Amino acid sequence: MSTESQRRADIVEVGRRMYARGYTASNDGNISIRLESDRLLMTPKSVCKGFMTPDMLCITDLEGRKLQGDRDPSSEMLMHLEVYRQRPDVHAVVHAHPPTATGFAVAGIPLDRAVLAEVLTTLGSIPIAEYATPSTRELPEAVRKYIKAHDGMLLANHGALTVGPDVYSAYYKMETIEHFAKISLVARLLGREHLISREEVMRLQGLRDSYGIKAPAPICADGPTDEMTCQIVQAPSSPGSRLVPDVTAEDGEIRLTYRELSALIEDAIRSLR
Ligand SMILES: [Zn+2]
């Protein structure tokens, strides 16, 4: 299969998964891939992303001019173009309306609290881009403020946007955001949300390299600062409270002795009581 036909198949598959998981309803959502430096493969407007076929996709240039395809490109094309302009490292963009994350976007609550170690390591904080009328030039302007430093964001009263070096990476970030939103909602309903300390956040950030994670920007050591260049995470400063041991092995793998592992489990059980 040629590269382009493989990319077409990838977009069809990601659209199918988004619809199957309820991240989009009706004709919502859009997906694009950078084919070469000046050509984008994009979902068309007014089709259900769960039932696309490879021939439905459009090819545009970086100005949004259609080069190929029977249908018109996505109504959110301007937002995609802005991401590719701002982030040369990005090769795929996914936009959807996952219900729990979009609920946070409607409530005006960003997913920026230090709660889950894995989210901090992979995505960092997930801010909310200011409200803009969908499909207008206002939306790319709202996205521009955060896209340099974030691979995922909520769009106020609208949905979520994720980007990555390939379309599956961008899509999995959408899954992570929705999963994180669900966990945050449950924790808040239960009435407790223990935050990870700032010291621990900085240590988790240090692990990014050893896992080969290329986050777009560092987490600010001491917020508040410029969200264009770093990520702001809400974390209490409480020196000494560490949740994971140091990475000491040469291959970067975390190895615990039986005694250390037992102590961690005991601590965890005690904190649940
Ligand atoms: Zn939308």
Side-chain angles (χ1 to χ4, degrees):
M1 209 187 276
S2 76
T3 305
E4 185 187 313
S5 50
Q6 181 61 56
R7 298 292 170 268
R8 286 177 182 268
D10 291 343
I11 287 184
V12 168
E13 174 60 18
V14 166
R16 193 190 66 75
R17 292 188 194 188
M18 282 195 333
Y19 187 68
R21 294 188 73 114
Y23 293 180
T24 56
S26 180
N27 297 336
D28 299 342
N30 28 76
I31 307 160
S32 68
I33 291 180
R34 196 199 294 265
L35 288 175
E36 297 102 23
S37 58
D38 57 348
R39 287 201 322 150
L40 306 175
L41 185 62
M42 193 170 301
T43 50
K45 65 168 64 158
S46 307
V47 301
C48 176
K49 305 308 174 293
F51 300 96
M52 293 186 295
T53 51
D55 57 296
M56 286 181 176
L57 307 181
C58 318
I59 293 179
T60 73
D61 64 15
L62 271 184
E63 305 303 316
R65 286 181 287 257
K66 187 168 82 172
L67 304 174
Q68 199 183 316
D70 297 333
R71 296 163 188 264
D72 286 334
S74 166
S75 54
E76 295 297 7
M77 178 176 66
L78 296 176
M79 178 170 70
H80 291 240
L81 299 177
E82 185 64 29
V83 173
Y84 291 115
R85 269 197 288 269
Q86 299 294 331
R87 292 278 302 272
D89 60 310
V90 164
H91 284 80
V93 177
V94 171
H95 164 60
H97 306 165
T100 314
T102 303
F104 277 79
V106 168
I109 302 171
L111 291 164
D112 64 351
R113 293 188 188 169
V115 173
L116 292 176
E118 193 169 314
V119 174
L120 288 165
T121 313
T122 54
L123 272 159
S125 74
I126 299 141
I128 306 182
E130 285 76 16
Y131 179 75
T133 310
S135 82
T136 65
R137 289 198 174 274
E138 295 165 26
L139 191 54
E141 278 168 31
V143 165
R144 190 182 307 144
K145 180 176 173 191
Y146 297 102
I147 194 61
K148 283 233 165 113
H150 300 84
D151 276 356
M153 69 187 78
L154 303 178
L155 308 174
N157 296 79
H158 183 172
L161 176 74
T162 51
V163 305
D166 61 76
V167 75
Y168 284 101
S169 156
Y171 167 70
Y172 286 135
K173 285 171 193 162
M174 187 66 75
E175 281 196 355
T176 298
I177 288 179
E178 179 64 357
H179 199 228
F180 181 26
K182 283 181 184 166
I183 291 167
S184 296
L185 179 62
V186 171
R188 292 177 197 199
L189 286 172
L190 291 171
R192 288 189 200 178
E193 198 177 24
H194 294 298
L195 301 195
I196 293 172
S197 73
R198 180 148 293 273
E199 185 196 28
E200 180 66 14
V201 167
M202 302 323 283
R203 292 187 69 246
L204 288 166
Q205 175 163 238
L207 293 179
R208 285 175 171 178
D209 274 351
S210 57
Y211 290 127
I213 294 165
K214 289 189 171 43
I219 295 170
C220 304
D222 297 297
T225 35
D226 178 12
E227 287 171 293
M228 290 279 280
T229 54
C230 71
Q231 303 186 339
I232 295 172
V233 169
Q234 308 301 323
S237 51
S238 55
S241 53
R242 289 160 47 153
L243 300 181
V244 293
D246 282 322
V247 177
T248 49
E250 280 178 14
D251 57 5
E253 203 177 295
I254 297 170
R255 293 189 186 140
L256 300 177
T257 62
Y258 181 74
R259 184 193 294 236
E260 287 167 336
L261 184 61
S262 305
L264 275 177
I265 292 169
E266 276 170 26
D267 276 355
I269 291 170
R270 209 172 298 128
S271 70
L272 288 174
R273 283 192 190 127

